[in-house]
Amino acid sequence: MKIRVRLFAGLRERAGTSERKLELPDGACVSDVWAALGLGDEPAGLLYAVNKRYAGPEQRLVAGDEVALIPPVSGGSFRLSEQPLDPAEVIEEVRTERAGAVATFIGTTRIESRGRTVHYLEYEAYGGMAEKVMAELAAELKQRHELSEIAITHRVGRIEIGEPSVVIAVSAPHRAAALAACKEAIDTLKETVPLWKKEVYEGGEEWLGRGS
């Protein structure tokens, strides 16, 4: 059977391509994909998605499946944008008469990181799945914290020093819930959403892993 494999961030550079077609035997599982790619040792922390849903190694594949290899990730309305972000627009999306508080988080590109001077960042995302995972995260937070609305917008592509890379806005009847959900949103986004960050600094560049 034939399947399509998507590669991102450091894995894309390692393979020299963002997509490969593979021929696998009938009955093959997700765990068979890495060896079939012939890219050496499987990196620690690698995750898989089948048709834009996270999948375990034992899941069976069928002809026509799209399998995405998800390196450790760095990340209302849930969008990816190639254009500069306007926090006011994201905040406006969560305004409601039910809300007594609006909490926001704005992540920006800093000039120094780990003792190095940063020139700019590059973000890459698995489009379609990233928005879906953000929406699932928001639904969980909305129910757990009894929120009014939540909106998340994340940049992709090149981001200059001082520019926002992510804007999260949360509205709730009470400030404690809005603040708690906003913090949980950015912490969880960095662990689960298929977004990757490359740091371009003086003398080199590096893809940064989960939680960065």
Side-chain angles (χ1 to χ4, degrees), residues 14-191:
R14 183 171 171 177
T17 181
S18 62
E19 182 177 314
R20 280 193 183 178
K21 301 289 179 63
L22 286 183
E23 183 80 35
L24 295 177
D26 291 342
C29 299
V30 167
S31 59
D32 298 315
V33 172
W34 179 263
L37 288 170
L39 296 177
D41 294 335
E42 182 172 341
L46 185 66
L47 299 176
Y48 294 85
V50 177
N51 301 325
K52 297 183 173 65
R53 288 185 177 276
Y54 283 113
E58 73 288 345
Q59 180 168 324
R60 297 278 184 179
L61 299 173
V62 299
D65 276 347
E66 177 184 278
V67 179
L69 276 61
I70 309 293
V73 296
S74 39
S77 296
F78 318 101
R79 294 194 302 272
L80 303 174
S81 174
E82 296 181 352
Q83 303 302 317
L85 305 184
D86 183 350
E89 292 182 358
V90 182
I91 292 170
E92 190 62 32
E93 293 175 13
V94 303
R95 291 193 185 279
T96 169
E97 293 180 350
R98 294 181 56 247
V102 176
T104 61
F105 173 82
I106 303 173
T108 56
T109 303
R110 62 183 184 271
I111 195 168
E112 293 183 348
S113 175
R114 295 171 296 155
R116 302 185 299 207
T117 300
V118 177
H119 293 314
Y120 61 90
L121 300 179
E122 287 186 5
Y123 276 92
E124 182 177 333
Y126 182 10
M129 184 175 179
E131 297 95 327
K132 184 175 183 178
V133 175
M134 285 193 284
E136 291 171 350
L137 164 62
E140 292 175 5
L141 292 174
K142 199 169 183 179
Q143 182 176 19
R144 183 159 60 251
H145 295 281
E146 299 182 353
L147 306 177
S148 300
E149 299 293 344
I150 180 169
I152 304 172
T153 302
H154 205 296
R155 278 285 301 278
V156 291
R158 176 168 171 156
I159 305 174
E160 304 296 340
I161 300 300
E163 288 189 334
S165 58
V166 58
V167 179
I168 298 174
V170 177
S171 63
H174 305 288
R175 67 177 181 273
L179 290 167
C182 194
K183 180 182 185 302
E184 190 172 341
I186 185 58
D187 290 345
T188 307
L189 181 148
K190 284 177 170 289
E191 294 289 338

